[in-house]
Amino acid sequence: MAGVPAQPQTSASPYLVATTTSTTATKVCCCAIDFGTSSTGYAFRDRRQTRSQHIVMAEWGTQLHPKTPTEVVLAAAPPHALVEFGHHARRFMQNVDFEEAQNVLHFKGLKMLLYGSDKKTEVFSTNQPRVSVPLKHLVTCILSHLAQKALAQMRRDFPTEMDDVRWVITVPSIWDQSARAFMQECATGTGMKEVILALEPEAASLAVKAELNLPIGTKYILVDAGGGIVDIAVHECISETEIAELHRPTGGPWGSTLINELFFQLMGDVFGEDVVAKAQEDPGIFDLEDDVEKMKLTLSDTIPRQIISVSCIVSLLPQMSKPPFSQLVDIFNASHPGSPVISRNQGSRLIVDASLIKTNIGKLAAATSDHIRDNLLPSLSGVKVAYLVGGLSTCHHYRKVFRTQLTADGILEVVVPHQPSLAVLVGAVLYGESDRSVKKRCMPYTYAVGTTDLALRHPGRPTFQVDGQRWCNVLQVLVRSGEPLDSDEEISLVFSPISSDQNNITFDIFKSKSPTVKYPDDPGVELIKAGLQVNNLPGVGLPVQQRPRVTLQFKFASTIITVQAVCPGFLPVIAIWNEGDLKTKENTQPEVTLKGEVEKSTRHENDFSTVTSLISASASDFRANKLLGTGSNAAVFEVKYCSLDSSATMSLSPYCAMATSTEVKQYMVMKVLFNWENTLRQTMLRQKYMAECVILSLVPDHPNVIHPLGAFVIPRIPADFVNKIEQPVYRELCNNPSLAIPLPHVGITMSSFFSSLVNASNEKMAEVAQSLFVQGLKAIHHIESHSVVHRDIKADNILVDPESGKLTLIDFGEAQHCPNMEAMISSTTQPWGNPGTIPPELSSFLKRLTRGTSGMFSYAKCDSFALALTFWDTLLMPPSRKFIGNWNHGMSEFNTLSLLQEFPVPLFSASSSSLPPKENPATAARVVEISNTACLLKEVMIEMMNPDKAARLTAFSAILTLTPQTESTMTSGDRSS
């Protein structure tokens, strides 16, 4: 776009654009197809070309412009083969005689049939209005024709096949998912192996960015005014190669074809709608349409009138018993005294006052500019320019009105780049070469999954009963309208069966333009008429609390929304989101094993009676270095991975968070659960394993959360492990089968780490303590965001790497998955692992339960309470160790109430003026200067241990308070989904 090279390598017109970082290394070429309402074209760039910066445009014979009308002629007889396309189709229809016209079908304006909620599946021919053809067949024929024509053009220089090309199809950003999926299916039906969709305003934005070399930080509005739709986007340049969306896509049906419709509506007012409808079957209608197109582009202040031939209409007047041409014009002018003058020229020519067409064009420009002024600008800041592209932007009068509307009050500067009608096409090539160039997208809708919740939380709602418990249907929101997401960001939601015999789960998907929805029957909530069903759930017959959960993993910010259902024991089920028909396909890729041949399977055992297949490893692959500790059910070793196969990598269990093989460090930790196959302890050990591996599979990777690398059964623990154990009782257990869980080696216990800092200064100790505490808060916030509660936070379960200072939360043996952070607790269950850190509200709850009863308890803020208590207790050293102010108060036994009495000032009280207000901690934490780090940390911890749970500080609020920049720097792992 920046210029035309002096010596092109092909006869086509190449455009010189800087090469981007390619993501299509396996493809020699990237070809984009801009399928438009009025015109269509293709362009490609071949990496084999010496001048690899050339983007080569389509050739259409004698037609010089690289885009051609989106018109197609098919054979009238099935299977309706393509006869002509583009300007060849138009010329064919202009010259065809009446008899031959009965053997063909002409179509145009196909793209607008996919816009809006009233989509068409059948398209009626313009020359035979009673004959229709499936829209899918039409679009597939066109795309196939374009692909073959592009391949023929590529083959002039190099042998090229369909598989050598990455194909890019452009679609409007305001199209819904069903229309996008429709185009994807049509493209796949042509034989294109690798095809992606590019959103048109994003493609145009990349072309404008490349042409004008926009600096990083530039914010702008991109208006793509095409034939049928005006697409509007707001972008920011965030790097040399990336843009981010700042506002959800918007726009409307204000494209140039509306001018044509208004003109023919005028002709209907003059000559009669029946006459104009009949004229659509006459070949002369194409000449009239050409005149209208020329009139739009040549409008100027120096040409007050336009002369248009309407012979195709005039010739029908006698046979349809209409008054003469001149009389109809006089009648119209007499009945419209305020309208611009329409008069008759010689023959069948009509003289139209230019102001009539200008008025219609002005209405379109005003509709777009008003939409920007009223709906975009009030919510934007730092946006000073709008770039206008698309076919309609080549109309001088449209540019003039649009620019006047937005620049009159200095609102925006309007810039039209070089060759704006090709911006989408050129940008689509750039997007195909690097589809990660769009970093963030804003959600056009709120998307939610239909699920169930306890009826007692929703009084007045319709209910149903399962296993004696009443439930009601609710919505679980995944993303909200306008919410920005990284283009590759994955949103996970975990579901559990509500009965022990439930064998499948069906997910209903909903959308709404409102960001606040709660129930499926809320106003504006639309059910997407498809469901994602996961069948043959494992663990049928087990108590509900022990049933494996199902995780839905969504990618909303790609051009096509995808859904993946993951359940322990199954390979992922992947679905392309088509709102009319959610089609699923099972991923049958084989799993990677540690050694030997790859084993193909579609799922594992449907219960937990054996776990030997989780990873292909054995105790002989490891050597015990030392014993790290023992517990009531397990021993923990430091081990060395020493497989005889030096190239082997640890294969990961599908129960674990990671889903592909990962090379593990040579030194790691091995947790051994004793008596794995002892029937007396089987249930308890299964639960320990499920908590350690299965529940953690529901939590995406996070730097401060441990993740098991897999599991395997040891029939008999090797001697080098046994020799590290001193207690006889544990040595005896080593003769029985045990379950081994390899874990990353992440450091030493927090108590040992703080003890090693005996010579550190008070300031250094305060800095280290705060850093570790924030890392612990991030770990808790992360697992809570995925509905997991640890329930056993203590100093021994918090490890610190002495070299890097990284904290890792370990030992999820007592963890529980709790949807909405709530769980049913009975008087006989063990709801908390460490009695020393049990939250006061849980203790009170247990006291209220009578024998044999149960109740729903919320674990919200419980782990953060335990973390604060653990840190405080660890830092309560002897009097000689007053390393963080005067934190030691001579308490022989920690007591929250006495602590709060000694420090009665709440963290967010009015008297604590140096701290952010509780109403908006995220904003206030950015501007508050904290001079006394230790004092702030101390007060945050006190607030987190408040006996009043309602007043207690959450982990996220504590993070924002202790790290003022957290809101902008938190990783995606810290973000609550």
Side-chain angles (χ1 to χ4, degrees), residues 863-915:
D863 275 345
S864 55
F865 171 93
L867 181 75
L869 190 57
T870 300
F871 264 79
W872 190 285
D873 196 30
T874 303
L875 297 172
L876 284 175
M877 308 298 277
S880 59
R881 291 302 322 278
K882 301 175 183 179
F883 49 77
I884 303 184
N886 185 24
W887 278 41
N888 178 27
H889 305 288
M891 291 184 290
S892 58
E893 182 175 344
F894 184 82
N895 185 292
T896 306
L897 292 176
S898 63
L899 180 146
L900 291 174
Q901 290 170 0
E902 187 164 358
F903 296 99
V905 179
L907 180 60
F908 292 110
S909 68
S911 60
S912 186
S913 58
S914 65
L915 298 173

Short mmCIF file of all heavy atoms in Angstrom, two decimals, residues 863-915:
data_model
loop_
_atom_site.label_atom_id
_atom_site.label_comp_id
_atom_site.label_asym_id
_atom_site.label_seq_id
_atom_site.Cartn_x
_atom_site.Cartn_y
_atom_site.Cartn_z
N ASP A 863 -9.44 -19.19 53.11
CA ASP A 863 -8.02 -19.41 52.85
C ASP A 863 -7.20 -18.16 53.09
O ASP A 863 -6.06 -18.24 53.57
CB ASP A 863 -7.83 -19.88 51.41
CG ASP A 863 -8.03 -21.38 51.25
OD1 ASP A 863 -8.03 -22.09 52.28
OD2 ASP A 863 -8.17 -21.84 50.11
N SER A 864 -7.73 -17.00 52.74
CA SER A 864 -6.97 -15.76 52.98
C SER A 864 -6.83 -15.49 54.47
O SER A 864 -5.80 -14.99 54.92
CB SER A 864 -7.65 -14.59 52.27
OG SER A 864 -9.00 -14.47 52.67
N PHE A 865 -7.86 -15.86 55.25
CA PHE A 865 -7.75 -15.76 56.72
C PHE A 865 -6.61 -16.63 57.21
O PHE A 865 -5.76 -16.20 58.00
CB PHE A 865 -9.08 -16.19 57.37
CG PHE A 865 -9.02 -16.32 58.87
CD1 PHE A 865 -9.36 -15.27 59.70
CD2 PHE A 865 -8.61 -17.52 59.45
CE1 PHE A 865 -9.29 -15.39 61.07
CE2 PHE A 865 -8.54 -17.65 60.83
CZ PHE A 865 -8.88 -16.59 61.64
N ALA A 866 -6.57 -17.88 56.73
CA ALA A 866 -5.53 -18.81 57.18
C ALA A 866 -4.15 -18.36 56.75
O ALA A 866 -3.17 -18.54 57.48
CB ALA A 866 -5.84 -20.20 56.64
N LEU A 867 -4.04 -17.76 55.55
CA LEU A 867 -2.74 -17.28 55.09
C LEU A 867 -2.23 -16.16 55.99
O LEU A 867 -1.06 -16.16 56.40
CB LEU A 867 -2.86 -16.79 53.65
CG LEU A 867 -1.55 -16.29 53.04
CD1 LEU A 867 -0.65 -17.46 52.70
CD2 LEU A 867 -1.82 -15.44 51.79
N ALA A 868 -3.09 -15.20 56.30
CA ALA A 868 -2.67 -14.10 57.17
C ALA A 868 -2.28 -14.63 58.55
O ALA A 868 -1.27 -14.20 59.13
CB ALA A 868 -3.80 -13.08 57.28
N LEU A 869 -3.05 -15.55 59.07
CA LEU A 869 -2.76 -16.12 60.38
C LEU A 869 -1.43 -16.87 60.35
O LEU A 869 -0.62 -16.78 61.30
CB LEU A 869 -3.89 -17.06 60.78
CG LEU A 869 -3.91 -17.59 62.22
CD1 LEU A 869 -3.92 -16.44 63.21
CD2 LEU A 869 -5.11 -18.48 62.42
N THR A 870 -1.18 -17.61 59.28
CA THR A 870 0.08 -18.36 59.16
C THR A 870 1.27 -17.43 59.09
O THR A 870 2.30 -17.65 59.76
CB THR A 870 0.03 -19.26 57.91
OG1 THR A 870 -1.05 -20.18 58.04
CG2 THR A 870 1.32 -20.03 57.74
N PHE A 871 1.18 -16.38 58.30
CA PHE A 871 2.29 -15.43 58.20
C PHE A 871 2.53 -14.74 59.54
O PHE A 871 3.66 -14.57 59.98
CB PHE A 871 1.99 -14.40 57.10
CG PHE A 871 2.63 -14.73 55.79
CD1 PHE A 871 2.06 -15.68 54.95
CD2 PHE A 871 3.79 -14.11 55.39
CE1 PHE A 871 2.63 -16.00 53.74
CE2 PHE A 871 4.37 -14.42 54.16
CZ PHE A 871 3.80 -15.37 53.34
N TRP A 872 1.45 -14.35 60.20
CA TRP A 872 1.61 -13.66 61.47
C TRP A 872 2.27 -14.57 62.51
O TRP A 872 3.20 -14.18 63.20
CB TRP A 872 0.24 -13.20 61.99
CG TRP A 872 0.34 -12.28 63.17
CD1 TRP A 872 0.64 -12.61 64.46
CD2 TRP A 872 0.18 -10.87 63.16
NE1 TRP A 872 0.66 -11.50 65.25
CE2 TRP A 872 0.38 -10.41 64.48
CE3 TRP A 872 -0.14 -9.94 62.16
CZ2 TRP A 872 0.27 -9.07 64.82
CZ3 TRP A 872 -0.24 -8.61 62.50
CH2 TRP A 872 -0.03 -8.18 63.82
N ASP A 873 1.80 -15.80 62.55
CA ASP A 873 2.35 -16.74 63.52
C ASP A 873 3.82 -17.04 63.22
O ASP A 873 4.63 -17.18 64.12
CB ASP A 873 1.53 -18.03 63.48
CG ASP A 873 1.76 -18.90 64.70
OD1 ASP A 873 2.04 -18.33 65.77
OD2 ASP A 873 1.67 -20.12 64.57
N THR A 874 4.17 -17.11 61.92
CA THR A 874 5.55 -17.37 61.55
C THR A 874 6.45 -16.21 61.92
O THR A 874 7.61 -16.39 62.31
CB THR A 874 5.65 -17.65 60.03
OG1 THR A 874 4.81 -18.74 59.70
CG2 THR A 874 7.08 -17.96 59.61
N LEU A 875 5.92 -15.01 61.81
CA LEU A 875 6.72 -13.81 62.10
C LEU A 875 6.75 -13.45 63.58
O LEU A 875 7.47 -12.54 63.96
CB LEU A 875 6.17 -12.62 61.29
CG LEU A 875 6.27 -12.77 59.77
CD1 LEU A 875 5.54 -11.64 59.09
CD2 LEU A 875 7.71 -12.81 59.32
N LEU A 876 5.98 -14.14 64.40
CA LEU A 876 6.02 -13.89 65.85
C LEU A 876 7.20 -14.64 66.44
O LEU A 876 7.08 -15.71 67.03
CB LEU A 876 4.72 -14.36 66.51
CG LEU A 876 3.50 -13.46 66.32
CD1 LEU A 876 2.27 -14.08 66.92
CD2 LEU A 876 3.75 -12.10 66.95
N MET A 877 8.37 -14.07 66.28
CA MET A 877 9.61 -14.69 66.72
C MET A 877 9.92 -14.25 68.16
O MET A 877 9.26 -13.39 68.73
CB MET A 877 10.74 -14.29 65.78
CG MET A 877 10.40 -14.54 64.31
SD MET A 877 10.13 -16.28 63.93
CE MET A 877 11.81 -16.80 63.72
N PRO A 878 10.96 -14.80 68.77
CA PRO A 878 11.37 -14.35 70.12
C PRO A 878 11.68 -12.86 70.13
O PRO A 878 11.91 -12.25 69.08
CB PRO A 878 12.62 -15.19 70.39
CG PRO A 878 12.46 -16.40 69.53
CD PRO A 878 11.75 -15.94 68.30
N PRO A 879 11.73 -12.23 71.32
CA PRO A 879 11.93 -10.78 71.41
C PRO A 879 13.18 -10.29 70.70
O PRO A 879 13.22 -9.16 70.22
CB PRO A 879 12.02 -10.53 72.91
CG PRO A 879 11.25 -11.65 73.51
CD PRO A 879 11.48 -12.83 72.64
N SER A 880 14.21 -11.12 70.59
CA SER A 880 15.43 -10.67 69.92
C SER A 880 15.23 -10.51 68.42
O SER A 880 16.08 -9.95 67.75
CB SER A 880 16.56 -11.68 70.17
OG SER A 880 16.17 -12.96 69.67
N ARG A 881 14.15 -11.03 67.89
CA ARG A 881 13.89 -10.97 66.45
C ARG A 881 12.74 -10.02 66.14
O ARG A 881 11.74 -10.41 65.59
CB ARG A 881 13.59 -12.36 65.91
CG ARG A 881 14.76 -13.32 65.90
CD ARG A 881 15.96 -12.80 65.10
NE ARG A 881 15.58 -12.09 63.89
CZ ARG A 881 15.27 -12.69 62.76
NH1 ARG A 881 15.31 -13.98 62.67
NH2 ARG A 881 14.93 -11.99 61.71
N LYS A 882 12.85 -8.74 66.51
CA LYS A 882 11.82 -7.75 66.18
C LYS A 882 12.17 -7.12 64.84
O LYS A 882 12.55 -5.97 64.76
CB LYS A 882 11.74 -6.69 67.27
CG LYS A 882 11.41 -7.27 68.65
CD LYS A 882 11.48 -6.19 69.70
CE LYS A 882 11.22 -6.76 71.08
NZ LYS A 882 11.30 -5.75 72.14
N PHE A 883 12.07 -7.94 63.78
CA PHE A 883 12.60 -7.47 62.49
C PHE A 883 11.59 -6.69 61.67
O PHE A 883 11.94 -6.13 60.66
CB PHE A 883 13.16 -8.64 61.67
CG PHE A 883 12.24 -9.82 61.57
CD1 PHE A 883 11.15 -9.81 60.73
CD2 PHE A 883 12.50 -10.95 62.34
CE1 PHE A 883 10.32 -10.91 60.64
CE2 PHE A 883 11.67 -12.05 62.26
CZ PHE A 883 10.58 -12.04 61.41
N ILE A 884 10.32 -6.69 62.02
CA ILE A 884 9.35 -5.87 61.30
C ILE A 884 8.65 -4.99 62.32
O ILE A 884 7.57 -5.30 62.81
CB ILE A 884 8.33 -6.71 60.53
CG1 ILE A 884 9.04 -7.66 59.55
CG2 ILE A 884 7.38 -5.84 59.73
CD1 ILE A 884 8.12 -8.45 58.68
N GLY A 885 9.31 -3.91 62.66
CA GLY A 885 8.74 -3.06 63.69
C GLY A 885 8.67 -3.82 65.01
O GLY A 885 9.51 -4.65 65.32
N ASN A 886 7.65 -3.54 65.77
CA ASN A 886 7.45 -4.21 67.04
C ASN A 886 6.31 -5.20 66.89
O ASN A 886 5.22 -5.02 67.40
CB ASN A 886 7.15 -3.18 68.15
CG ASN A 886 7.05 -3.83 69.51
OD1 ASN A 886 7.62 -4.90 69.74
ND2 ASN A 886 6.34 -3.18 70.41
N TRP A 887 6.59 -6.30 66.15
CA TRP A 887 5.54 -7.26 65.86
C TRP A 887 5.40 -8.32 66.95
O TRP A 887 4.40 -9.00 67.02
CB TRP A 887 5.83 -7.96 64.52
CG TRP A 887 5.40 -7.15 63.37
CD1 TRP A 887 5.53 -5.81 63.21
CD2 TRP A 887 4.73 -7.62 62.20
NE1 TRP A 887 5.03 -5.39 62.01
CE2 TRP A 887 4.52 -6.50 61.37
CE3 TRP A 887 4.32 -8.85 61.74
CZ2 TRP A 887 3.90 -6.59 60.13
CZ3 TRP A 887 3.71 -8.96 60.52
CH2 TRP A 887 3.50 -7.82 59.73
N ASN A 888 6.43 -8.50 67.75
CA ASN A 888 6.34 -9.52 68.79
C ASN A 888 5.70 -8.90 70.03
O ASN A 888 6.18 -7.91 70.56
CB ASN A 888 7.75 -10.04 69.13
CG ASN A 888 7.70 -11.07 70.23
OD1 ASN A 888 6.70 -11.73 70.41
ND2 ASN A 888 8.78 -11.16 70.98
N HIS A 889 4.60 -9.47 70.46
CA HIS A 889 3.86 -8.90 71.58
C HIS A 889 3.86 -9.83 72.78
O HIS A 889 3.02 -9.71 73.66
CB HIS A 889 2.42 -8.60 71.15
CG HIS A 889 2.38 -7.73 69.95
ND1 HIS A 889 2.72 -6.40 69.97
CD2 HIS A 889 2.08 -8.01 68.65
CE1 HIS A 889 2.62 -5.89 68.76
NE2 HIS A 889 2.24 -6.85 67.94
N GLY A 890 4.81 -10.79 72.80
CA GLY A 890 4.93 -11.64 73.96
C GLY A 890 3.78 -12.59 74.14
O GLY A 890 3.52 -13.05 75.25
N MET A 891 3.05 -12.90 73.06
CA MET A 891 1.93 -13.82 73.19
C MET A 891 2.43 -15.25 73.11
O MET A 891 3.04 -15.64 72.11
CB MET A 891 0.89 -13.56 72.09
CG MET A 891 0.17 -12.24 72.23
SD MET A 891 -1.12 -12.05 70.99
CE MET A 891 -0.12 -11.83 69.53
N SER A 892 2.21 -16.02 74.10
CA SER A 892 2.63 -17.41 74.07
C SER A 892 1.74 -18.22 73.14
O SER A 892 2.15 -19.24 72.60
CB SER A 892 2.57 -18.02 75.47
OG SER A 892 1.25 -17.91 75.99
N GLU A 893 0.52 -17.77 72.96
CA GLU A 893 -0.41 -18.47 72.06
C GLU A 893 -1.16 -17.42 71.26
O GLU A 893 -1.66 -16.45 71.82
CB GLU A 893 -1.39 -19.32 72.87
CG GLU A 893 -2.35 -20.12 72.00
CD GLU A 893 -3.23 -21.04 72.82
OE1 GLU A 893 -2.88 -21.27 73.98
OE2 GLU A 893 -4.26 -21.49 72.30
N PHE A 894 -1.20 -17.64 69.95
CA PHE A 894 -1.83 -16.63 69.09
C PHE A 894 -3.32 -16.58 69.35
O PHE A 894 -3.98 -17.60 69.47
CB PHE A 894 -1.56 -16.98 67.63
CG PHE A 894 -2.09 -15.94 66.69
CD1 PHE A 894 -1.37 -14.80 66.43
CD2 PHE A 894 -3.31 -16.11 66.09
CE1 PHE A 894 -1.86 -13.85 65.56
CE2 PHE A 894 -3.81 -15.16 65.22
CZ PHE A 894 -3.06 -14.03 64.96
N ASN A 895 -3.83 -15.38 69.40
CA ASN A 895 -5.27 -15.20 69.63
C ASN A 895 -5.73 -14.00 68.80
O ASN A 895 -5.28 -12.88 68.99
CB ASN A 895 -5.55 -14.95 71.11
CG ASN A 895 -7.05 -14.88 71.40
OD1 ASN A 895 -7.72 -13.96 70.97
ND2 ASN A 895 -7.55 -15.87 72.13
N THR A 896 -6.62 -14.27 67.86
CA THR A 896 -7.07 -13.21 66.95
C THR A 896 -7.77 -12.09 67.70
O THR A 896 -7.55 -10.91 67.43
CB THR A 896 -8.02 -13.79 65.90
OG1 THR A 896 -7.38 -14.89 65.25
CG2 THR A 896 -8.41 -12.75 64.87
N LEU A 897 -8.59 -12.43 68.66
CA LEU A 897 -9.35 -11.39 69.36
C LEU A 897 -8.43 -10.47 70.14
O LEU A 897 -8.58 -9.24 70.11
CB LEU A 897 -10.38 -12.04 70.29
CG LEU A 897 -11.51 -12.79 69.58
CD1 LEU A 897 -12.42 -13.46 70.61
CD2 LEU A 897 -12.33 -11.83 68.73
N SER A 898 -7.45 -11.04 70.84
CA SER A 898 -6.55 -10.18 71.60
C SER A 898 -5.70 -9.33 70.66
O SER A 898 -5.37 -8.19 70.97
CB SER A 898 -5.64 -11.03 72.50
OG SER A 898 -4.81 -11.88 71.72
N LEU A 899 -5.36 -9.88 69.51
CA LEU A 899 -4.59 -9.12 68.55
C LEU A 899 -5.38 -7.91 68.06
O LEU A 899 -4.88 -6.80 67.98
CB LEU A 899 -4.21 -10.01 67.38
CG LEU A 899 -3.39 -9.40 66.24
CD1 LEU A 899 -2.45 -10.45 65.68
CD2 LEU A 899 -4.28 -8.88 65.13
N LEU A 900 -6.66 -8.13 67.78
CA LEU A 900 -7.48 -7.03 67.29
C LEU A 900 -7.74 -6.00 68.38
O LEU A 900 -7.93 -4.82 68.10
CB LEU A 900 -8.79 -7.57 66.74
CG LEU A 900 -8.65 -8.38 65.45
CD1 LEU A 900 -9.98 -9.00 65.07
CD2 LEU A 900 -8.14 -7.50 64.33
N GLN A 901 -7.76 -6.44 69.60
CA GLN A 901 -7.92 -5.48 70.69
C GLN A 901 -6.68 -4.60 70.81
O GLN A 901 -6.75 -3.42 71.14
CB GLN A 901 -8.18 -6.22 72.00
CG GLN A 901 -9.55 -6.89 72.05
CD GLN A 901 -9.70 -7.81 73.23
OE1 GLN A 901 -8.78 -7.97 74.02
NE2 GLN A 901 -10.87 -8.43 73.34
N GLU A 902 -5.51 -5.18 70.52
CA GLU A 902 -4.28 -4.40 70.61
C GLU A 902 -4.15 -3.44 69.44
O GLU A 902 -3.57 -2.38 69.55
CB GLU A 902 -3.09 -5.36 70.64
CG GLU A 902 -1.77 -4.63 70.89
CD GLU A 902 -0.68 -5.61 71.29
OE1 GLU A 902 -0.97 -6.80 71.39
OE2 GLU A 902 0.46 -5.16 71.51
N PHE A 903 -4.72 -3.83 68.28
CA PHE A 903 -4.71 -2.97 67.10
C PHE A 903 -6.15 -2.73 66.68
O PHE A 903 -6.64 -3.35 65.74
CB PHE A 903 -3.92 -3.62 65.96
CG PHE A 903 -2.47 -3.80 66.26
CD1 PHE A 903 -2.01 -5.03 66.68
CD2 PHE A 903 -1.59 -2.75 66.14
CE1 PHE A 903 -0.67 -5.21 66.97
CE2 PHE A 903 -0.25 -2.93 66.43
CZ PHE A 903 0.21 -4.16 66.85
N PRO A 904 -6.87 -1.86 67.37
CA PRO A 904 -8.31 -1.73 67.11
C PRO A 904 -8.65 -0.93 65.87
O PRO A 904 -9.79 -0.92 65.44
CB PRO A 904 -8.80 -1.00 68.37
CG PRO A 904 -7.61 -0.17 68.78
CD PRO A 904 -6.39 -0.98 68.44
N VAL A 905 -7.68 -0.22 65.25
CA VAL A 905 -8.01 0.63 64.11
C VAL A 905 -8.18 -0.23 62.86
O VAL A 905 -7.23 -0.87 62.42
CB VAL A 905 -6.91 1.68 63.87
CG1 VAL A 905 -7.25 2.56 62.67
CG2 VAL A 905 -6.72 2.52 65.12
N PRO A 906 -9.38 -0.29 62.27
CA PRO A 906 -9.57 -1.08 61.05
C PRO A 906 -8.74 -0.52 59.91
O PRO A 906 -8.42 0.66 59.87
CB PRO A 906 -11.07 -0.96 60.76
CG PRO A 906 -11.67 -0.49 62.06
CD PRO A 906 -10.62 0.32 62.74
N LEU A 907 -8.44 -1.37 58.98
CA LEU A 907 -7.58 -0.96 57.87
C LEU A 907 -8.19 0.15 57.03
O LEU A 907 -7.51 1.07 56.61
CB LEU A 907 -7.30 -2.18 56.98
CG LEU A 907 -6.40 -1.91 55.77
CD1 LEU A 907 -5.04 -1.41 56.22
CD2 LEU A 907 -6.24 -3.18 54.95
N PHE A 908 -9.48 0.11 56.81
CA PHE A 908 -10.12 1.09 55.94
C PHE A 908 -10.99 2.07 56.72
O PHE A 908 -12.00 2.54 56.23
CB PHE A 908 -10.95 0.39 54.86
CG PHE A 908 -10.13 -0.36 53.88
CD1 PHE A 908 -10.15 -1.73 53.86
CD2 PHE A 908 -9.33 0.31 52.98
CE1 PHE A 908 -9.39 -2.44 52.94
CE2 PHE A 908 -8.57 -0.38 52.07
CZ PHE A 908 -8.59 -1.76 52.05
N SER A 909 -10.64 2.36 57.94
CA SER A 909 -11.45 3.30 58.72
C SER A 909 -11.16 4.73 58.27
O SER A 909 -10.18 5.01 57.60
CB SER A 909 -11.13 3.15 60.21
OG SER A 909 -9.81 3.60 60.46
N ALA A 910 -12.04 5.64 58.69
CA ALA A 910 -11.87 7.05 58.30
C ALA A 910 -10.60 7.64 58.90
O ALA A 910 -9.98 8.51 58.31
CB ALA A 910 -13.09 7.85 58.75
N SER A 911 -10.20 7.15 60.07
CA SER A 911 -9.02 7.71 60.71
C SER A 911 -7.73 7.25 60.05
O SER A 911 -6.68 7.83 60.26
CB SER A 911 -8.99 7.30 62.19
OG SER A 911 -8.96 5.88 62.30
N SER A 912 -7.81 6.20 59.26
CA SER A 912 -6.62 5.71 58.56
C SER A 912 -6.54 6.39 57.20
O SER A 912 -6.75 5.79 56.17
CB SER A 912 -6.69 4.19 58.40
OG SER A 912 -5.49 3.71 57.86
N SER A 913 -6.24 7.67 57.20
CA SER A 913 -6.34 8.48 56.00
C SER A 913 -5.30 8.14 54.94
O SER A 913 -5.47 8.48 53.79
CB SER A 913 -6.21 9.97 56.37
OG SER A 913 -4.97 10.19 57.03
N SER A 914 -4.21 7.50 55.35
CA SER A 914 -3.18 7.20 54.38
C SER A 914 -3.48 5.98 53.54
O SER A 914 -2.75 5.63 52.63
CB SER A 914 -1.84 6.97 55.10
OG SER A 914 -1.93 5.82 55.91
N LEU A 915 -4.62 5.32 53.83
CA LEU A 915 -4.95 4.09 53.13
C LEU A 915 -6.12 4.31 52.19
O LEU A 915 -6.92 5.21 52.39
CB LEU A 915 -5.28 2.99 54.15
CG LEU A 915 -4.11 2.65 55.08
CD1 LEU A 915 -4.58 1.70 56.15
CD2 LEU A 915 -2.98 2.03 54.28
#
